[in-house]
């Protein structure tokens, strides 16, 4: 690989459709609370809800520094995130070098091009999202890589990475600073700003949908790839509810079970309904919504939409389908909306008091290879106004709140191919998305190439919508994948208050295999959202 090859994985999604080599692995090393551990002898998880996630590390060094990341190569760190980077140095050691290739204040990693005086000027690769610091500038290594954080470095970190087969030749980190490397970074930043927009000449079909009716949007034989799907709002009455109650299903290669089944609004990353934002794979503009995950097929596809609402609708949707023949082993795109599908898991272990509480399932795949590419989460967190007034704006701050309303703080945990301890273990729901300190106001909305918070009441009380897309840092699996996020609040809390999750995970899966998700019912769509 060249440095340009690495950057292309940030902007192009076609490579996601190919199965990963068995040696390719991805994960995230973070500052999660090390009190959480696994007792193999008794098959029990200990302190699984531990939440002191700011300072955990692989090990501490004599000078007070910590080892935050350590990995054999060849590989690459795709994303560095922190909630509070400070002046303590980040030191990155490559291969067998005793001198760090990077040695600078941790805060400067997100703000300054190393060796330059002016601030970093790659706004799509290194961004601040509602107090969260993110850098997607790749850090490649050949033999191994170790990241140390010196005293006073701050609090909370993530290092999201991939490891490649041993035969892979990686570029040197120093290639980033060559003339060609700097130009490639600038070009990549510009492409991410454009969010994959492409000129489409496909005219939308106008399809009337009576209440309860299912119509075929398109059926096609042979091989090809859906390059883009565009939904237009013209003709939809009560757009918010229409997008929740119009359910789309896509079947690949003659399968009798859909690989995609989700409300249109949730598939397109809006919850509930219209929520304007621009990300690389999905965006919602004023009058149209665009979906850009490539969706190859070999023997044809069928797309249908069911109107589960009580009002007739007119659906306008355009499919940009190319006729290229996909690779014989290309993966199929999947997306399944659900409210907490546990499959064959023992749910008693996930209930409060169980050793796996508070894990809540985002995605379960068994018996097939594929790639996990992110998730849209719709959170309905609603409470009655407290009788006691807050000491500060909205509901107070830190430990002086008049109601403990915060729905998040849930660590993401990804178990790959039968792992008993997750290779991805995060520090909080908002940290996974890319922002930080979300329980404290103000509650800003934001978007970026790979993440957004496109819905959030200004006081936090009501519907929240967030997306996290894992493109370069997709998580490959060979036969099994289990993704969870912690959910500390019950569906009902402190009386009549509610905290409900609905999610749409995005992933690619081996052709000819099915997932286990059940069909969506009308009661699923409306429960908890009647307001």
């Amino acid at each position: 690989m060249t440095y340009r090859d690495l950057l292309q994985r940030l902007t192009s999604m076609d490579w996601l459709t190919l199965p990963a080599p068995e040696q390719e692995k991805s994960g995230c090393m973070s500052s999660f609370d090390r009190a959480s551990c696994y007792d193999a002898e008794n098959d029990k998880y200990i302190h699984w809800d531990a939440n002191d996630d700011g300072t955990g590390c692989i090990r501490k060094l004599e000078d007070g520094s910590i080892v935050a990341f350590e990995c054999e190569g060849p590989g690459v760190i795709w994303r560095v995130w922190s909630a509070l980077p400070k002046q303590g140095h980040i030191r990155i050691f490559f291969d067998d070098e005793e001198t760090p290739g990077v040695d600078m204040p941790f805060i400067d990693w997100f703000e300054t091009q190393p060796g330059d005086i002016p601030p970093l000027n790659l706004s799509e690769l290194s961004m601040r999202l509602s107090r969260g610091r993110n850098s997607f500038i790749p850090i490649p290594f050949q033999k191994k890589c170790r990241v140390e954080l010196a005293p006073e470095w701050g609090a909370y970190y993530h290092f999201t990475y991939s490891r490649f087969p041993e035969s892979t030749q990686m570029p040197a980190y120093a290639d980033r600073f060559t003339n060609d490397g700097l130009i490639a970074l600038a070009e990549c930043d510009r492409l991410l700003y454009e969010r994959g927009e492409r000129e489409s000449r496909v005219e939308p079909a106008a399809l009337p949908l009576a209440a309860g009716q299912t119509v075929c949007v398109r059926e096609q034989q042979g091989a090809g790839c859906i390059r883009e799907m565009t939904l237009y709002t013209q003709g939809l009455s009560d757009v918010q509810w229409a997008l929740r109650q119009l359910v789309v299903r896509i079947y690949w290669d003659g399968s009798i079970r859909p690989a995609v089944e989700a409300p249109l609004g949730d598939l397109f990353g809006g919850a509930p309904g219209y929520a304007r934002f621009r990300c690389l794979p999905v965006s919602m503009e004023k009058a149209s919504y665009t979906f850009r995950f490539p969706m190859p097929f070999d023997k044809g596809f069928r797309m249908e939409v069911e109107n589960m609402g009580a009002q007739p609708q007119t659906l306008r949707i355009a499919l940009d389908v190319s006729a290229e023949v996909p690779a014989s082993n290309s993966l199929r795109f999947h997306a399944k909306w659900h409210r907490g599908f546990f499959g064959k898991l023992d749910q008693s272990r996930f209930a409060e008091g169980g050793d796996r509480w508070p894990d809540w399932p985002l995605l379960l795949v068994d018996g097939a290879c594929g790639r996990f590419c992110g998730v849209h989460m719709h959170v309905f967190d609603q409470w009655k106004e407290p009788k006691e007034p807050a000491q500060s704006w909205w509901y107070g701050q830190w430990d002086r709140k008049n109601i403990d309303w915060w729905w998040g703080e849930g660590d993401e945990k990804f178990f790959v191919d039968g792992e008993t301890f997750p290779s991805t273990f995060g520090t909080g729901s908002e940290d996974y998305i890319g922002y930080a300190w979300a329980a404290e106001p103000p509650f800003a909305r934001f978007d970026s190439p790979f993440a957004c918070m496109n819905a959030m009441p200004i006081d936090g009380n009501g519907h929240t919508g967030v997306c996290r897309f894992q493109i370069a840092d997709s998580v490959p699996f060979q036969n099994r994948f289990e993704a969870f996020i912690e959910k500390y609040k019950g569906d009902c809390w402190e009386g009549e208050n509610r905290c409900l999750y609905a999610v749409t995970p995005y992933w690619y899966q081996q052709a000819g295999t099915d997932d286990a998700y059940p069909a969506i019912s009308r009661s699923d769509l409306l429960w908890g959202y009647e307001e």
Side-chain angles (χ1 to χ4, degrees), residues 136 267-269 277-283 291 293 373-376 432-433 448-452 467-474 506:
F136 283 89
L267 181 67
F268 281 84
F277 71 99
R278 293 176 69 243
C279 289
L280 179 65
V282 186
S283 62
F291 195 85
F293 276 110
C373 298
V375 65
H376 164 251
Y432 172 59
I433 303 302
S448 69
F450 309 116
C452 70
C467 295
R468 167 76 160 96
F469 299 108
Q470 298 195 224
I471 306 303
D473 57 343
S474 66
Y506 308 102

Side-chain angles (χ1 to χ4, degrees), residues 459-478:
D459 64 352
N461 192 346
H463 294 274
T464 295
V466 292
C467 295
R468 167 76 160 96
F469 299 108
Q470 298 195 224
I471 306 303
D473 57 343
S474 66
V475 184
F477 52 91
Q478 296 301 320

Side-chain angles (χ1 to χ4, degrees), residues 292-359:
R292 301 186 183 91
F293 276 110
M295 296 182 276
F297 52 91
D298 190 45
K299 299 177 182 178
F301 79 94
R302 173 184 171 86
M303 178 186 293
E304 63 184 32
V305 174
E306 179 180 359
N307 183 2
M308 289 190 175
Q311 301 297 322
Q313 302 285 351
T314 298
L315 179 68
R316 286 178 169 82
I317 193 166
L319 299 181
D320 189 345
V321 182
S322 60
E324 75 258 26
V325 178
S328 59
N329 64 340
S330 63
L331 304 172
R332 299 296 181 261
F333 181 77
H334 286 242
K336 290 294 178 73
W337 179 90
H338 66 91
R339 289 194 181 280
F341 176 70
F342 284 86
K344 298 179 181 179
L345 297 174
D346 180 359
Q347 282 191 244
S348 65
R349 298 183 68 177
F350 297 84
E352 193 161 1
D355 69 310
R356 294 201 62 175
W357 182 86
D359 284 2

Side-chain angles (χ1 to χ4, degrees), residues 64-175:
S65 300
I66 64 170
V67 176
F69 175 87
E70 195 167 39
C71 186
E72 298 290 325
V76 58
I77 297 174
W78 292 113
R79 170 185 180 249
V80 182
W81 168 91
S82 180
L84 192 65
K86 293 184 177 180
Q87 291 296 321
H89 278 217
I90 177 174
R91 299 190 293 259
I92 305 179
F93 294 84
F94 297 98
D95 301 333
D96 297 315
E97 298 292 331
E98 295 183 2
T99 302
V102 173
D103 191 350
M104 62 192 301
F106 194 27
I107 182 63
D108 285 358
W109 177 262
F110 302 96
E111 295 188 350
T112 305
Q113 178 78 29
D116 286 350
I117 295 175
L120 187 63
N121 195 25
L122 298 169
S123 59
E124 306 302 316
L125 285 164
S126 189
M127 71 287 289
R128 185 172 182 173
L129 304 178
S130 189
R131 292 182 287 219
R133 301 286 188 145
N134 297 262
S135 172
F136 283 89
I137 297 176
I139 308 170
F141 53 94
Q142 188 63 46
K143 296 180 181 179
K144 56 187 175 182
C145 180
R146 183 176 77 255
V147 178
E148 298 177 1
L149 298 175
E152 303 301 323
W153 63 267
Y156 303 93
Y157 64 79
H158 287 194
F159 291 91
T160 306
Y161 67 96
S162 292
R163 293 174 56 195
F164 300 117
E166 293 181 3
S167 60
T168 308
Q169 294 299 310
M170 301 299 295
Y173 174 69
D175 290 355

Side-chain angles (χ1 to χ4, degrees), residues 310-531:
Q311 301 297 322
Q313 302 285 351
T314 298
L315 179 68
R316 286 178 169 82
I317 193 166
L319 299 181
D320 189 345
V321 182
S322 60
E324 75 258 26
V325 178
S328 59
N329 64 340
S330 63
L331 304 172
R332 299 296 181 261
F333 181 77
H334 286 242
K336 290 294 178 73
W337 179 90
H338 66 91
R339 289 194 181 280
F341 176 70
F342 284 86
K344 298 179 181 179
L345 297 174
D346 180 359
Q347 282 191 244
S348 65
R349 298 183 68 177
F350 297 84
E352 193 161 1
D355 69 310
R356 294 201 62 175
W357 182 86
D359 284 2
W360 191 92
L362 294 175
L363 175 62
L364 304 176
V365 179
D366 195 8
C369 68
R371 288 184 182 272
F372 174 66
C373 298
V375 65
H376 164 251
M377 291 185 62
H378 180 185
V379 179
F380 183 51
D381 191 27
Q382 186 182 63
W383 58 89
K384 286 190 173 182
E385 291 293 324
K387 295 180 180 179
E388 296 296 325
Q391 295 179 11
S392 58
W393 61 345
W394 283 301
Y395 302 103
Q397 292 180 286
W398 309 112
D399 58 348
R400 298 182 300 278
K401 294 185 177 70
N402 61 351
I403 186 169
D404 183 17
W405 67 271
W406 174 227
W407 59 267
E409 218 55 51
D411 305 345
E412 76 277 12
K413 301 170 185 173
F414 300 164
F415 297 78
V416 180
D417 295 331
E419 292 172 334
T420 55
F421 197 86
S423 48
T424 291
F425 198 134
T427 59
S429 315
E430 70 274 34
D431 308 346
Y432 172 59
I433 303 302
Y435 58 123
W437 313 110
E440 310 301 332
F443 307 112
R445 293 187 297 178
F446 59 84
D447 62 11
S448 69
F450 309 116
C452 70
M453 181 161 69
N454 52 33
M456 179 67 160
I458 198 167
D459 64 352
N461 192 346
H463 294 274
T464 295
V466 292
C467 295
R468 167 76 160 96
F469 299 108
Q470 298 195 224
I471 306 303
D473 57 343
S474 66
V475 184
F477 52 91
Q478 296 301 320
N479 53 61
R480 188 176 180 185
F481 181 75
E482 296 181 348
F484 300 89
I485 198 159
E486 293 175 337
K487 184 176 184 290
Y488 284 90
K489 276 190 162 38
D491 290 349
C492 294
W493 57 279
E494 293 185 12
E496 300 179 15
N497 301 330
R498 287 182 291 177
C499 182
L500 309 175
Y501 283 14
V503 299
T504 306
Y506 308 102
W507 79 100
Y508 287 88
Q509 185 173 316
Q510 184 178 351
T513 63
D514 289 327
D515 58 66
Y517 284 86
I520 295 172
S521 69
R522 177 177 167 80
S523 60
D524 291 332
L525 295 178
L526 299 184
W527 176 64
Y529 296 85
E530 297 86 349
E531 293 81 359

